[in-house]
Amino acid sequence: MAKQRVLTGITTTGTPHLGNYVGAIRPAIAESQRGEFDAFFFLADYHALIKSHDPSIVHQSSREIAATWLALGLDTDSSTFYRQSDVPEIAELSWILTCVCAKGLMNRSHAYKAAVQANEQNGDDPDNGVTMGLFSYPILMAADILMFNASKVPVGRDQIQHIEMARDMAQRFNHLYGKTFVLPEAVVDDDVAVLSGLDGRKMSKSYGNTIPLFLPEKKLQKHINKIKTNLLEPGEPKDPADSTVFEIWQAFATAEQTADMRQKFAEGIAWGQAKKDLFDLINTQVAPARERYEAILADSQFLESELKKGAEKARAQAAPMLASVRKAVGLAAFS
């Protein structure tokens, strides 16, 4: 019986941080190592062009994200790890899906509606600053998924709409041209940790409150020291449920370590000591991978060879799929 195919994309617009690690990278790699699924992981560098017009950021982010996944143990022999832009079939499929996708469907996209709403609130033209990349982003995402007939797509709750749109496009295509695409399903794991950042809001590049995953030791300590805390003094009991320090601790600690820190909070541990303990915990876990990351980042040939290997595997799947799509819509050779 064939394994179910699972696909995960990583947009290349920033440096991986602790929230990315515990919320996406760590569980995805662990899942791939169990070997239960046919796992596809890709650098979504076409998607990055929607968010960033700085080529140096897109390029460097691609290198850092690829090096991060490899350093953390992604097995590129048992999974398929590739750069989106190395698989040109995806862009062609995106155009073909554009020709069956209703504009009204794109009008309902959360990202587009949010941009329009922000413009209207500012008294600007509704479409001010809205590119066709932002508007039609869900079509490219659908092409990413449908190209490989992925049946499962792990996403956050804010991305469920895009999976539903991919299903709509697949159903429309199948209706017009015959059964071609598997209908994908969103997989949302509510048990995956969502970390708060330095200021207490969700850790996010857009808020500028992240703790990069592979910071050197001294810089990691400085970032952890910046985590916002309340004014409770040493000796005063502290509430773990209202603490970013404890939240991040719990994401890296064992059950026994979590129980121990909970007791220390009840006993009134000083914030400085709690942050020092948090640094020690995280640094112990990431130090070996940090060393591998630095070595991989410095070896551009190795990085490129791994991604090219993945592109060959991906295109071996994409080429016959696109050929069947082209034939279905009438773009076939005359002989």
Side-chain angles (χ1 to χ4, degrees):
M1 184 174 173
K3 294 180 181 178
Q4 284 192 316
R5 184 164 289 170
V6 177
L7 180 139
T8 302
I10 313 102
T11 308
T12 57
T13 52
T15 298
H17 53 72
L18 297 187
N20 297 144
Y21 172 64
V22 303
I25 303 173
R26 185 174 66 183
I29 291 177
E31 192 72 63
S32 72
Q33 290 171 340
R34 282 194 283 272
E36 297 173 9
F37 301 102
D38 183 13
F40 279 58
F41 302 99
F42 69 95
L43 305 178
D45 50 355
Y46 279 147
H47 287 292
L49 302 181
I50 300 168
K51 299 180 180 180
S52 175
H53 294 154
D54 185 333
S56 63
I57 289 177
V58 174
H59 184 74
Q60 182 62 16
S61 177
S62 295
R63 292 181 70 244
E64 291 178 356
I65 291 172
T68 296
W69 283 73
L70 294 171
L72 289 168
L74 180 65
D75 185 345
T76 58
D77 291 325
S78 61
S79 60
T80 303
F81 184 54
Y82 58 98
R83 214 168 9 210
Q84 185 184 32
S85 60
D86 284 339
V87 186
E89 291 86 355
I90 293 170
E92 183 171 348
L93 178 58
S94 182
W95 174 251
I96 293 172
L97 292 176
T98 299
C99 296
V100 301
C101 177
K103 178 177 177 289
L105 189 64
M106 294 300 96
N107 288 342
R108 295 192 289 276
S109 169
H110 295 324
Y112 172 63
K113 287 171 66 177
V116 169
Q117 184 178 22
N119 282 333
E120 289 175 340
Q121 288 174 346
N122 292 332
D124 296 327
D125 182 280
D127 286 328
N128 180 50
V130 176
T131 65
M132 286 305 298
L134 174 63
F135 182 71
S136 59
Y137 163 84
I139 303 176
L140 178 57
M141 185 168 172
D144 291 324
I145 297 164
L146 301 181
M147 175 58 76
F148 300 105
N149 268 338
S151 54
K152 305 288 185 184
V153 185
V155 291
R157 291 204 166 272
D158 60 334
Q159 290 285 315
I160 291 176
Q161 184 197 43
H162 291 145
I163 309 305
E164 292 172 345
M165 288 177 164
R167 288 176 63 90
D168 286 344
M169 284 176 247
Q171 286 174 316
R172 177 65 176 162
F173 189 97
N174 290 350
H175 173 72
L176 289 172
Y177 299 112
K179 184 166 174 55
T180 305
F181 297 119
V182 168
L183 303 186
E185 294 180 13
V187 178
V188 179
D189 187 350
D190 287 325
D191 293 329
V192 168
V194 177
L195 295 190
S196 299
L198 300 176
D199 58 2
R201 294 181 294 176
K202 176 185 173 182
M203 191 177 291
S204 170
K205 293 186 291 288
S206 60
Y207 293 147
N209 65 353
T210 66
I211 302 175
L213 178 59
F214 290 134
L215 284 175
E217 288 189 9
K218 288 185 178 179
K219 288 187 177 180
L220 177 61
Q221 179 72 78
K222 285 182 179 179
H223 271 67
I224 289 173
N225 287 341
K226 293 177 185 176
I227 295 174
K228 185 178 179 181
T229 55
N230 56 38
L231 299 177
L232 291 174
E233 297 289 336
E236 293 185 83
K238 296 166 179 64
D239 182 5
D242 189 35
S243 168
T244 299
V245 172
F246 187 85
E247 178 190 298
I248 298 175
W249 174 275
Q250 192 169 25
F252 284 85
T254 63
E256 185 178 352
Q257 288 171 324
T258 299
D260 183 54
M261 182 57 75
R262 192 181 297 277
Q263 180 61 33
K264 289 180 179 178
F265 265 58
E267 293 169 356
I269 186 173
W271 285 123
Q273 184 61 49
K275 290 177 180 181
K276 181 181 181 303
D277 291 350
L278 178 61
F279 162 76
D280 289 337
L281 176 71
I282 294 174
N283 192 55
T284 299
Q285 289 191 31
V286 304
R290 181 199 292 133
E291 193 172 332
R292 291 194 297 271
Y293 170 79
E294 295 293 348
I296 292 170
L297 204 59
D299 190 347
S300 296
Q301 272 193 318
F302 172 73
L303 262 178
E304 193 64 27
S305 66
E306 285 293 294
L307 289 170
K308 288 297 185 186
K309 179 179 76 174
E312 288 176 9
K313 290 168 68 175
R315 294 196 71 187
Q317 301 288 329
M321 170 57 86
L322 184 62
S324 67
V325 169
R326 287 172 63 94
K327 183 177 180 180
V329 301
L331 303 179
F334 296 141
S335 61

